[in-house]
Amino acid sequence: MSRGLHLATYLLAFDTRAQSLQDRTRAGFLLRAAALAELAHRGAAVEGGAGKVQVVSADPTGDRVLDALLAELDDRSRTWKAWIRRSRDDTLEAVEEQLAVLGVMTMADRNPYGPVAPHRTVTMDDPREALDLQLRVAELVRGSGPVGQAPYGDAVLAALAAHGHLRLVLTRHDRKAHAGRIRALTDRLADRTPGLARAVAGLNMTMIAGQGGAGGG
């Protein structure tokens, strides 16, 4: 995968027809989980005692989103689930800024004299990357090939799409019909970070709790 998991997850959650995220609050949770998975995959963060996240290397990654998250992780010991719930809006805005710098999307300038808007309008000029990614992840879940041969990044994105209830990618029927395959894809995270795998598997309940009981299908 050419992009980090946090950037790819934004594309996965982006509705190209509506030119907006499927659910902005939901995307914040998913991006935090994806960024944590990216740091774990790079070996910068590991699972220590009692399932707490431990920073192995705080060296700059060259990615502003990941570097900001590393600084957070290095400041206090928390579980994967706790880190997924924290600073979600900041991570979401940072990912949008990074995608804008990369030329993937255009963000409308804020009006310093206008009313405070919850977020800026974004436009994805070429939706093919997002659409291709959504299709690839959906086909991975619906397919029959060995899960162990799937790229780690694709497996993580499939787990996030399934447990994050991204209807753009997987329907409720898909999640039920391919539950065993989704578990196997999620288990790819458990090889080195079992606590992160559990946190991803429980994402929808975490989202419901974080939104005061408002769930998604």
Side-chain angles (χ1 to χ4, degrees):
M1 180 179 301
S2 58
R3 301 199 188 279
L5 283 168
H6 51 303
L7 302 182
T9 297
Y10 189 95
L11 300 179
L12 196 68
F14 193 84
D15 186 335
T16 57
R17 287 178 295 181
Q19 284 290 304
S20 65
L21 290 166
Q22 173 191 308
D23 180 326
R24 192 169 181 84
T25 301
R26 186 171 296 265
F29 284 96
L30 294 174
L31 291 176
R32 288 288 287 191
L36 288 166
E38 180 70 27
L39 288 175
H41 187 54
R42 293 182 181 215
V46 299
E47 188 164 321
K52 300 290 182 67
V53 183
Q54 179 180 338
V55 173
V56 175
S57 172
D59 294 339
T61 65
D63 183 295
R64 292 175 60 187
V65 177
L66 297 181
D67 289 345
L69 179 54
L70 264 179
E72 286 186 65
L73 300 180
D74 206 26
D75 184 57
R76 182 168 297 188
S77 178
R78 301 181 191 273
T79 64
W80 299 103
K81 180 179 178 180
W83 284 121
I84 287 173
R85 296 187 63 163
R86 292 181 65 83
S87 304
R88 303 184 305 273
D89 291 342
D90 292 340
T91 297
L92 176 52
E93 289 205 5
V95 166
E96 288 180 326
E97 295 281 0
Q98 191 165 340
L99 287 171
V101 169
L102 291 171
V104 176
M105 53 194 265
T106 303
M107 298 179 63
D109 292 333
R110 295 188 189 277
N111 181 358
Y113 304 107
V116 177
H119 58 86
R120 280 184 277 183
T121 301
V122 300
T123 303
M124 195 171 291
D125 296 327
D126 185 353
R128 287 176 295 182
E129 184 179 1
L131 292 171
D132 288 348
L133 180 62
Q134 291 165 7
L135 179 60
R136 187 171 81 238
V137 169
E139 288 179 340
L140 176 58
V141 172
R142 297 169 186 152
S144 58
V147 168
Q149 293 181 11
Y152 173 84
D154 285 0
V156 173
L157 291 174
L160 291 173
H163 298 298
H165 291 198
L166 284 181
R167 298 185 302 276
L168 288 167
V169 183
L170 299 169
T171 65
R172 185 192 299 259
H173 173 77
D174 287 330
R175 298 198 307 268
K176 290 183 177 180
H178 305 288
R181 193 166 175 84
I182 290 168
R183 281 194 298 272
L185 289 163
T186 308
D187 283 346
R188 292 286 300 278
L189 277 163
D191 293 342
R192 285 181 291 179
T193 52
L196 180 55
R198 289 192 296 272
V200 169
L203 263 176
N204 195 54
M205 292 305 299
T206 299
M207 292 174 185
I208 292 172
Q211 297 178 69

